[in-house]
Amino acid sequence: MTEIEHWSALTGPELASIAARDPVALLPVAAVEQHGPHLPLNTDGVIGDGIVTAAGQCLRDRGEALELLILPAMTVGASLEHTGFAGTVSLTAEQAIAQIHAIGTGVAAAGIRRLVLFNSHGGNKAVLDLAALRLRADFGLLVVKANYFRFAPPADALPAEELAHGLHGGALETSMMLHLAPAAVRRDALADHESLGALRARTGATLGPEGDAGFAWMAEDLNPAGVTGNAAAADAETGARLVEAFGVRLAEIIVETACFDLREFGGRGAR
């Protein structure tokens, strides 16, 4: 049976009791940043919460025998690439790393050994990598880094070009928002915002904003609107499929984190 608790709703003694049973703690990490004229500033947080909810339902439906503690979401992340647009609120990379480390310090102090960092904003990936390594080195925690945008979507959900180049506010994010928070989507502003990456790829260039060799970019470098991808092609049905698929993958990650034999580590945290 799956037991899911929200960290901040527990008392100290309740949390200590759960910690003694070797649960998994999950920290959602998002951002408050511009998503063009059609999506709200909290888009990454809404999507992250929706996927976490879907993962929890998947765990319950499967009857997985584990305990999951969901930490309060870190809603402001590292969004330097979007600071050229109104509404973006960003931590520096150093601040974001420090905040994740501080939260992880509290997790370790409670006696918890397993932590999943679940990220719904691409700009957070580098800081998650560094913060996770520090937490491993300092406390011997098992720290798992899960970025939903690296999860495989259903094979026929979106065209390959859109998946490759619709990096921000395109059909993928807009579809999920149409499913999770339809009233928040400004439908009259939906449009196709072509990315510099897509334009370069069509000329045969292999150097783009992402890939095996990518250049650093600000959002306005890829499109003047700060959005890349065809938001006009989004629909709620696709969004529901995406959220479900990403939730299933996150559930699998949580299960594997719970089952991970810490004795496989030869050093810190091996028990």
Side-chain angles (χ1 to χ4, degrees):
M1 180 178 176
T2 302
E3 297 289 341
I4 301 175
E5 300 282 357
H6 287 268
W7 184 287
S8 56
L10 298 167
T11 66
E14 288 168 346
L15 183 62
S17 178
I18 294 171
R21 298 194 291 269
D22 198 19
V24 174
L26 184 144
L27 173 63
V29 185
V32 176
E33 63 183 28
Q34 70 87 23
H35 276 76
H38 60 292
L39 294 177
L41 299 169
N42 67 340
T43 289
D44 291 337
V46 172
I47 290 173
D49 182 66
I51 295 172
V52 169
T53 299
Q57 188 60 53
C58 180
L59 292 169
R60 292 189 182 98
D61 291 345
R62 294 183 179 185
E64 298 288 354
L66 60 82
E67 290 189 86
L68 177 65
L69 286 165
I70 301 176
L71 287 147
M74 184 172 150
T75 55
V76 177
S79 298
L80 175 61
E81 69 274 23
H82 297 289
T83 51
F85 295 86
T88 299
V89 179
S90 179
L91 301 176
T92 66
E94 294 79 8
Q95 289 169 332
I97 292 167
Q99 186 166 337
I100 295 167
H101 186 270
I103 294 169
T105 299
V107 169
I112 294 168
R113 301 182 296 164
R114 304 169 193 270
L115 174 63
V116 175
L117 304 177
F118 175 60
N119 178 34
S120 56
H121 164 52
N124 287 333
K125 183 184 179 301
V127 299
L128 256 69
D129 288 344
L130 292 170
L133 183 57
R134 281 190 57 190
L135 289 169
R136 175 69 190 151
D138 291 349
F139 304 113
L141 293 175
L142 169 63
V143 187
V144 176
K145 303 162 290 181
N147 300 281
Y148 94 77
F149 42 86
R150 295 293 177 90
F151 297 175
D156 59 347
L158 292 169
E161 183 171 338
E162 181 67 21
L163 289 173
H165 301 292
L167 302 177
H168 189 68
L172 186 139
E173 284 189 312
T174 305
S175 290
M176 288 192 285
M177 287 296 288
L178 284 169
H179 167 60
L180 294 168
V185 179
R186 282 60 166 178
R187 296 170 192 256
D188 59 346
L190 296 177
D192 186 0
H193 297 279
E194 191 165 42
S195 170
L196 172 62
L199 292 171
R200 287 182 54 78
R202 289 194 203 115
T203 69
T206 62
L207 178 60
E210 301 293 332
D212 60 355
F215 51 79
W217 52 268
M218 299 292 284
E220 58 269 33
D221 294 334
L222 304 186
N223 185 282
V227 182
T228 56
N230 188 5
D235 66 87
E237 182 180 353
T238 298
R241 293 179 63 207
L242 290 166
V243 170
E244 180 181 11
F246 295 153
V248 167
R249 178 59 184 141
L250 179 58
E252 292 171 347
I253 292 166
I254 293 167
V255 170
E256 291 202 34
T257 303
C259 296
F260 193 103
D261 186 349
L262 299 179
R263 292 171 297 184
E264 292 184 30
F265 284 140
R268 299 172 185 269
R271 298 185 189 180

